[in-house]
Amino acid sequence: MGLAAAATALGLTTALSGCGALGGDGGDVTLTLVAADYDLTGGDSTKKYWDGVVTAFEAENPGVKVQVRIESWNDVDREVAELVKAGKAPDLAQIGAYADYAAADQLYAADQLLSIPVQANFLAPLVDAGEYEHTQYGMPFVASTRLLFYNEELFDKAGIDAPPTTWDELAAAAEKLKKKGVAYPFALPLGPEEAQAETMMWLLSGGGGYLDGLGHYKVDSEANVRTFTWLRDNLVAKGLTGPVAPAKLDRKAAFAAFARGEVGMLNGHPSLMQEAAKKGVKVGKTALPSTDGRDRAAMGVADWIMGFKQNGHRKEIGAFLDFVFSDENVLKFAGDNDLLPATVTASEAMRSDPAHADLREFLEALPDSQLPPVGKTSWAQVSGTVKQDIGKAVAPDGRPAEVLGRIARQATAAESAE
């Protein structure tokens, strides 16, 4: 479907959803939505976005009201879990995970809510990641991918002519940066904040991943052990990862150091560009280097929106979601937050818009990306184990095979208990 045709279909869907069939015989329906706060500066941009969406939706659908509650990312998943446990589930939640609720039969499937054009418009890897037992329950609200970021000025000072495409080139560039006194030639955040994501990026670029070809955990595969052995021997042991041990370096601290101009290279996401640029850092971006320079799948990330069954508002939830996923709304939110649209038509529109030229490499990487196994109810437990333990694999006396083996055994046990 071309951009214009798909947009027309989406527009028709939105219009049809407001044709008087909503609200039921008992009068108006009020939907509740709990949503995450994306404003990095402590402002109210997320609230303003949802206020605008709700106002426009209610004008087209007079039988439905929507109440939105914004919670910080530190609290939103817990807040929704507590509401569900107390028997007070919201109608909609825009949070980080859906699988536990899908496994407990608490969610509507996507095809019970969305019109066909809207459901068909999601990018394929995001649809796959939104499935629990081959049915889509998680609808991707917004996405991002990861690229290698490098400080162009530090590269120039170190005499590095081009960004690395292989691991050997990355290590050589880090050596040059170190000789020029760069504090973090390559920042490797394997601390507990977000280590599961940093780990996945390296596993993919080494030809491995968390899962085998059948979709089961294989954390200690030969490829994965080789990857972490290389990191230990070629970056950490040679003092190329900076003054803080990777096991103690959180992503937030690494990103802050990059924005201060103290980092030569790191694996970054779109939101970091804006922060670094504000502080005068000239950011270069390229695909994550691989062992041999061949293209590997980038890691994709998505946040999810879902509809809960408890209150029985299926038609109203579906109409609201059809409206939320219009190109106009998807592009507005993604553009305001330096993130990527989760839909095909909005991605095409953003890619062709010169105002978003700095996101083009991320957009190009997203359709072929791989996401963490968020459709497994065991993933939260496995992710937590990775966060706590993976940094030990690259310590000077670390034993990658043992650390990965221990995580693998726990992952397999968690998967068996699903």
Side-chain angles (χ1 to χ4, degrees):
M1 181 182 293
L3 178 59
T8 300
L10 289 168
L12 278 172
T13 300
T14 301
L16 288 170
S17 69
C19 289
L22 301 177
D25 296 331
D28 288 355
V29 165
T30 298
L31 299 177
T32 55
L33 163 64
V34 179
D37 187 1
Y38 285 77
D39 196 308
L40 298 175
T41 64
D44 61 353
S45 63
T46 301
K47 180 181 182 301
K48 288 180 178 177
Y49 169 80
W50 283 115
D51 285 349
V53 169
V54 167
T55 298
F57 173 76
E58 289 179 350
E60 292 189 16
N61 297 273
V64 187
K65 303 294 183 185
V66 185
Q67 294 179 349
V68 182
R69 171 174 153 190
I70 308 296
E71 297 284 351
S72 77
W73 270 113
N74 292 336
D75 302 323
V76 68
D77 288 278
R78 175 179 52 79
E79 292 280 353
V80 170
E82 290 176 355
L83 287 170
V84 173
K85 186 176 180 180
K88 299 177 181 179
D91 294 290
L92 297 122
Q94 189 276 296
I95 51 179
Y98 66 87
D100 285 346
Y101 303 119
D105 195 29
Q106 294 168 322
L107 301 180
Y108 290 113
D111 61 7
Q112 294 177 293
L113 298 173
L114 301 175
S115 63
I116 291 172
V118 173
Q119 188 178 6
N121 198 31
F122 293 126
L123 290 161
L126 306 183
V127 173
D128 292 343
E131 292 181 350
Y132 172 75
E133 294 189 344
H134 309 294
T135 298
Q136 185 184 1
Y137 294 94
M139 288 155 280
F141 179 67
V142 73
S144 69
T145 50
R146 302 293 188 263
L147 297 174
L148 178 73
F149 282 23
Y150 58 95
N151 184 313
E152 292 183 348
E153 290 184 357
L154 295 180
F155 263 44
D156 290 343
K157 290 177 182 177
I160 303 168
D161 297 327
T165 60
T166 68
W167 287 359
D168 287 345
E169 290 175 2
L170 185 147
E175 289 276 12
K176 291 180 179 180
L177 291 161
K178 182 182 178 182
K179 289 177 181 177
K180 288 296 182 180
V182 175
Y184 295 87
F186 187 95
L188 184 64
L190 292 175
E193 179 198 350
E194 195 73 8
Q196 85 288 354
E198 185 74 18
T199 296
M200 183 170 176
M201 288 180 251
W202 282 100
L203 297 184
L204 291 175
S205 64
Y210 284 119
L211 307 180
D212 62 19
L214 298 175
H216 299 298
Y217 290 112
K218 189 60 177 173
V219 182
D220 60 345
S221 68
E222 289 184 11
N224 293 347
V225 172
R226 282 197 303 269
T227 292
F228 272 81
T229 301
W230 187 90
L231 287 171
R232 180 196 65 186
D233 295 345
N234 293 277
L235 292 185
V236 182
K238 295 182 178 179
L240 301 178
T241 54
V244 180
K248 296 183 178 180
L249 182 64
D250 283 338
R251 183 185 66 170
K252 184 176 181 180
F255 281 12
F258 185 83
R260 293 194 302 268
E262 299 171 4
V263 175
M265 298 175 281
L266 53 60
N267 296 331
H269 64 56
S271 298
L272 177 58
M273 290 189 305
Q274 189 177 20
E275 282 303 302
K278 285 179 185 176
K279 298 186 178 180
V281 174
K282 293 183 178 179
V283 182
K285 306 183 295 295
T286 190
L288 271 60
S290 61
T291 50
D292 53 11
R294 290 189 296 173
D295 289 342
R296 305 284 190 189
M299 185 186 76
V301 177
D303 299 327
W304 307 96
I305 193 165
M306 61 213 70
F308 283 87
K309 292 180 177 180
Q310 181 179 311
N311 302 316
H313 295 149
R314 183 181 64 82
K315 287 191 301 182
E316 291 81 8
I317 293 170
F320 183 65
L321 287 172
D322 273 358
F323 191 85
V324 166
F325 284 115
S326 70
D327 280 2
E328 178 183 0
N329 289 328
V330 171
L331 284 166
K332 168 70 174 167
F333 191 86
D336 285 353
N337 292 281
D338 273 336
L339 292 168
L340 307 182
T343 64
V344 174
T345 53
S347 293
E348 291 175 352
M350 180 176 275
R351 188 181 291 113
S352 63
D353 186 348
H356 296 297
D358 57 347
L359 293 174
R360 200 159 288 149
E361 291 105 324
F362 296 99
L363 288 162
E364 290 170 356
L366 185 58
D368 297 316
S369 64
Q370 289 189 27
L371 279 76
V374 293
K376 290 179 172 288
T377 57
S378 57
W379 173 240
Q381 182 179 340
V382 174
S383 173
T385 302
V386 173
K387 289 179 181 182
Q388 292 302 319
D389 291 348
I390 196 65
K392 300 170 186 174
V394 299
D397 59 349
R399 297 182 178 180
E402 289 186 12
V403 174
L404 290 169
R406 187 163 60 249
I407 296 171
R409 289 189 293 275
Q410 293 180 18
T412 299
E415 184 176 45
S416 298
E418 286 185 323

